[in-house]
Amino acid sequence: MRIAVPNKGRLHEPTIDLLERAGLHLENGADRKLYADTVDPDVSVLFARAADIPEYVADGAADLGITGYDQVCETGVETVEELLDLEFGRCRLVLAAPEDGDIDGVEDLAGKTIATEFPNITRDFFADTGVEPAIVEVSGATELTPHVEMADAIVDITSTGTTLKMNRLAVVDDVLSSSVRLFGREDVLEDPKVDEVRTALASVKQAEGKRYLMMNVPQDRLEAVRDVIPGLGGPTVMDVANGEGEKVAVHAVVDERDVFETITDVKNAGASGILVTEIERLVE
């Protein structure tokens, strides 16, 4: 099983970090290499440009791919399927035009010129609107094109909107919302290893923002403690060794933002020996 991942750029480090946290430690490093083995002898990693990963998966050079949803949409490959939203690398593709210009809506772009690094996504967007502008593909510095009279508007990626504001561009419409996803080729989806990889990555995402609480509780205060513990279902209750039946151990998974108040609440309800730990992975 080969997983294609971004070889550089803003998606590279978060992707490698996610694989490591999921237990797929890279055995021989990632620097300046095309391939890397993992601790699982059946799983290896292929490093590629984020934009090329959908084609690598579709053509069989890799079985799974981790890259932006926008890259998959731009390539238009039809033989890959989304398996999991990894919820990082979030961005939007937007239609933007000079803020002091006369373009206020999509309809104002009929017969105009649009510059973009995403010509296929842009064509699909305008096909749904019935407006027919000329689309010019550029390979960088898209936000400059309206100011050098190469284009009347652009379709480009934005995360915070800062670059658009710096270049005096205003959003006219949203084109696409994107984040990093796990994709797989259709003919490998039944392979058990695919589900293993998906489950491993999902367990890391599910553990984010969660904490594990452990405490000792007198039997006669158990219901009071249960009533103040938020989280995933009810807490787990176990006998305490040598507790002679007077105390039980209570374990629970709670949201990190609830930990501060929960500790106070369970302590007031009678809990003691309270311990809070991070959760690396959570399989639901």
Side-chain angles (χ1 to χ4, degrees):
M1 180 65 58
R2 184 174 292 163
I3 308 172
V5 304
N7 61 354
K8 58 183 179 179
R10 66 188 182 92
L11 302 183
H12 173 74
E13 289 296 336
T15 301
I16 298 303
D17 179 64
L18 177 61
L19 291 175
E20 295 277 352
R21 290 160 60 201
L24 288 170
H25 175 68
L26 302 187
E27 290 278 76
N28 46 5
D31 294 336
R32 301 180 183 277
K33 293 182 178 179
L34 181 60
Y35 297 102
D37 294 326
T38 73
V39 292
D40 186 329
D42 296 323
V43 179
S44 62
V45 171
L46 165 67
F47 298 100
R49 288 197 323 133
D52 294 336
I53 288 174
E55 292 285 1
Y56 276 47
V57 175
D59 293 343
D63 303 297
L64 302 176
I66 296 176
T67 192
Y69 177 64
D70 55 308
Q71 302 293 352
V72 178
C73 292
E74 179 59 25
T75 56
V77 293
E78 298 180 354
T79 57
V80 299
E81 183 174 317
E82 180 182 328
L83 302 177
L84 184 65
D85 186 348
L86 299 174
E87 300 176 0
F88 67 90
R90 292 190 182 279
C91 62
R92 295 182 299 152
L93 261 70
V94 299
L95 173 64
E99 57 187 18
D100 56 356
D102 56 1
I103 296 173
D104 298 316
V106 176
E107 65 280 358
D108 297 325
L109 288 162
K112 303 290 187 178
T113 301
I114 310 293
T116 184
E117 294 183 55
F118 300 89
N120 293 326
I121 292 175
T122 303
R123 289 189 189 97
D124 290 343
F125 172 78
F126 279 101
D128 292 337
T129 68
V131 176
E132 296 184 8
I135 297 171
V136 176
E137 183 175 1
V138 296
S139 57
T142 308
E143 65 277 1
L144 298 180
T145 57
H147 301 298
V148 294
E149 299 183 355
M150 285 182 59
D152 300 291
I154 66 171
V155 169
D156 202 12
I157 284 180
T158 183
S159 296
T160 64
T162 301
T163 301
L164 294 177
K165 290 178 182 177
M166 288 177 59
N167 288 278
R168 304 188 308 281
L169 297 172
V171 174
V172 176
D173 205 347
D174 286 324
V175 175
L176 182 76
S177 294
S178 181
S179 61
V180 174
R181 320 279 174 96
L182 172 70
F183 298 91
R185 198 172 59 258
E186 290 177 349
D187 64 348
V188 303
L189 297 185
E190 299 302 316
D191 188 325
K193 187 60 68 174
V194 171
D195 190 57
E196 287 182 32
V197 172
R198 188 201 66 79
T199 299
L201 297 179
S203 70
V204 175
K205 304 307 298 182
Q206 288 162 353
E208 290 180 350
K210 299 288 194 301
R211 292 295 181 266
Y212 195 61
L213 266 62
M214 296 172 278
M215 66 201 78
N216 293 329
V217 180
Q219 282 278 11
D220 61 357
R221 301 303 301 163
L222 180 56
E223 288 305 316
V225 169
R226 274 178 167 163
D227 288 343
V228 297
I229 296 179
L232 297 174
T236 300
V237 179
M238 298 168 284
D239 290 334
V240 176
N242 300 322
E244 299 181 351
E246 295 182 1
K247 283 188 176 183
V248 292
V250 176
H251 294 192
V253 176
V254 301
D255 287 338
E256 182 180 15
R257 64 177 180 271
D258 294 329
V259 168
F260 181 80
E261 289 186 3
T262 300
I263 289 176
T264 300
D265 290 342
V266 298
K267 185 175 184 297
N268 291 339
S272 61
I274 303 166
L275 179 65
V276 182
T277 66
E278 294 186 355
I279 303 174
E280 293 185 0
R281 295 174 60 184
L282 178 62
V283 180
E284 295 182 335

